[in-house]
Amino acid sequence: MAVPDNGVHGPLDGVRVVELAGIGPGPFAAMLLADLGADVVRVDRPGGAGLAVDPAYDLTNRNKRSVLIDLKAPGGAERVLDLVARADVLIEGYRPGVAERLGVGPDDCRARNPRLVYGRMTGWGQQGPLAPRAGHDIAYIAVTGTLGMIGAADEPPTVPANLVGDYAGGSLYLVVGVLAALRHAQAHGTGQVVDAAIVDGAAHLATMIHGMLAAGGWQDRRGANLLDGGCPFYGTYETADGGHMAVGALEQRFYDEFVELMGLKDVADARGDLARWGELREAVAARFKTRTRAAWTAVFEDSDACVAPVLSLREAPGHPHLAARGTFTDHGGLTQPAPAPRFSATPTAVRSGPARPGADTEDVARDWDVPALRDAAPRS
């Protein structure tokens, strides 16, 4: 349903967020808050930080504004605290203890603003034997058992990019925590610290699997279960042109339609016989190899067989369903995922492209009433 522009840019319009520049899950969490309408000011350091990505293409900095502050220079921490005094939320992704040493830890910030929600994004968390150690997504999901579930039974675990750990187990849990703490602060006048660890979030994502494991409905090994590729009617298959189709025909009625459209009714009864799953998988694989991905897409596009083509990142925006919904959008010449989820009364949008380091210092100094930011900020 289309909603007229009422001047409100998302449900978090009016919420102020300070983001201390980092890489990965912290910036993505701040981007999500910005997509939802928050005024996110990213505090970049002179000289930059993070991965070697041209700031003009760093989409995780869209809908934000940037100021330059050297936290290690005299007065640097004080300028951040001036912003904190006017903020609702702060997000940082340093190793434990670093923010405190820089003078912008939770105690320093909440002394200036008791209502502040202080969001901390780390891999290992703020406490525990590994808390001070370096790490990346792959290690965090490895120790939680999450990585060990992904991949074929006779191959090493498959690396799922950095989506499961950094962004699902990290960013999204930080945002949930920040929003919950923000609600509490608004109701009770007191902020708090949100300790979002990727190991916690990645473990939590597997809650249903742990329940199935306890009940005997999940084997503790790869490629042997209903949802991990062990099932021949829940997996991916190569087509005649080297493409792939994804099959998720779990329920009986969907499975029946699947084997009907595949022309495999003669092996349909193998569904409930684990001993025949290998036979069924071979039949399905051989059948998919007889046609191209486009041909199979046409076969299944009007069915409830739960089959879809596996598209590349560049192909996805052109899918008819995604195009009709506007799942992807173009802004400033960059095709990118549109903000999600959607709201009927407070619609969201990509309002601005990636913030350039320090480009918004003057505007933020004015809008947040922090003149010292303008007067003493280093120049890029």
Side-chain angles (χ1 to χ4, degrees):
M1 178 178 66
V3 177
D5 185 358
N6 58 7
V8 176
H9 299 120
L12 294 185
D13 190 43
V15 172
R16 288 179 170 180
V17 179
V18 174
E19 175 198 352
L20 302 184
I23 61 173
F28 185 81
M31 182 208 77
L32 182 50
L33 295 173
D35 282 356
L36 295 176
D39 182 5
V40 176
V41 171
R42 178 178 168 94
V43 177
D44 281 299
R45 68 193 71 173
L51 302 177
V53 177
D54 184 335
Y57 296 94
D58 189 349
L59 294 174
T60 62
N61 285 329
R62 72 186 187 190
N63 286 339
K64 302 177 183 178
R65 300 193 285 179
S66 171
V67 300
L68 281 180
I69 298 177
D70 185 352
L71 274 166
K72 295 182 179 180
E78 186 61 29
R79 287 193 288 279
V80 170
L81 293 176
D82 285 343
L83 288 170
V84 163
R86 294 157 176 79
D88 302 289
V89 177
L90 179 141
I91 289 176
E92 61 95 356
Y94 301 139
R95 291 200 208 185
V98 172
E100 285 84 350
R101 291 197 296 273
L102 290 172
V104 291
D107 291 342
D108 301 297
C109 289
R110 296 187 63 235
R112 291 288 296 270
N113 182 356
R115 297 174 60 92
L116 183 76
V117 172
Y118 194 105
R120 315 199 80 167
M121 182 75 262
T122 60
W124 303 114
Q126 298 297 315
Q127 297 86 29
L130 293 177
R133 302 276 72 85
H136 275 297
D137 173 286
I138 194 169
Y140 308 140
I141 65 174
V143 301
T144 62
T146 309
L147 179 61
M149 292 191 296
I150 305 172
D154 56 351
E155 297 177 1
T158 297
V159 180
N162 66 329
L163 303 179
V164 175
D166 280 353
Y167 298 122
S171 303
L172 297 185
Y173 277 85
L174 176 59
V175 170
V176 169
V178 163
L179 295 180
L182 186 61
R183 170 68 180 87
H184 180 271
Q186 291 170 341
H188 302 283
T190 304
Q192 60 186 297
V193 177
V194 178
D195 174 6
I198 294 171
V199 289
D200 297 346
H204 192 261
L205 287 169
T207 299
M208 182 191 76
I209 304 299
H210 280 279
M212 296 173 69
L213 182 67
W218 189 276
Q219 299 182 60
D220 197 12
R221 56 192 179 92
R222 285 189 304 285
N225 300 284
L226 192 65
L227 301 172
D228 66 354
C231 171
F233 42 94
Y234 194 88
T236 57
Y237 292 92
E238 187 175 358
T239 57
D241 57 345
H244 293 85
M245 298 295 289
V247 177
L250 291 175
E251 293 84 354
Q252 184 68 55
R253 66 186 185 278
F254 303 148
Y255 177 81
D256 291 343
E257 190 164 353
F258 168 65
V259 294
E260 173 73 28
L261 291 171
M262 287 289 289
L264 292 174
K265 294 183 69 175
D266 57 322
V267 292
D269 58 349
R271 176 181 185 272
D273 185 353
L274 295 182
R276 296 182 61 195
W277 273 14
E279 174 192 353
L280 178 58
R281 186 187 309 279
E282 290 179 4
V284 172
R287 186 70 175 129
F288 269 121
K289 287 284 285 184
T290 64
R291 299 186 188 182
T292 64
R293 189 186 69 178
W296 282 118
T297 298
V299 168
F300 288 104
E301 63 184 354
D302 293 324
S303 79
D304 279 339
C306 302
V307 177
V310 178
L311 303 183
S312 72
L313 290 174
R314 293 192 184 278
E315 289 176 315
H319 186 276
H321 180 78
L322 304 185
R325 282 187 58 80
T327 299
F328 291 85
T329 188
D330 290 297
H331 187 279
L334 298 177
T335 299
Q336 56 197 283
R342 305 177 187 206
F343 301 85
S344 61
T346 54
T348 58
V350 177
R351 305 181 303 278
S352 61
R356 307 300 180 91
D360 308 293
T361 299
E362 291 283 343
D363 290 342
V364 173
R366 179 194 67 238
D367 297 344
W368 285 41
D369 191 22
V370 184
L373 187 66
R374 176 180 55 243
D375 298 337
R379 301 303 175 188
S380 57

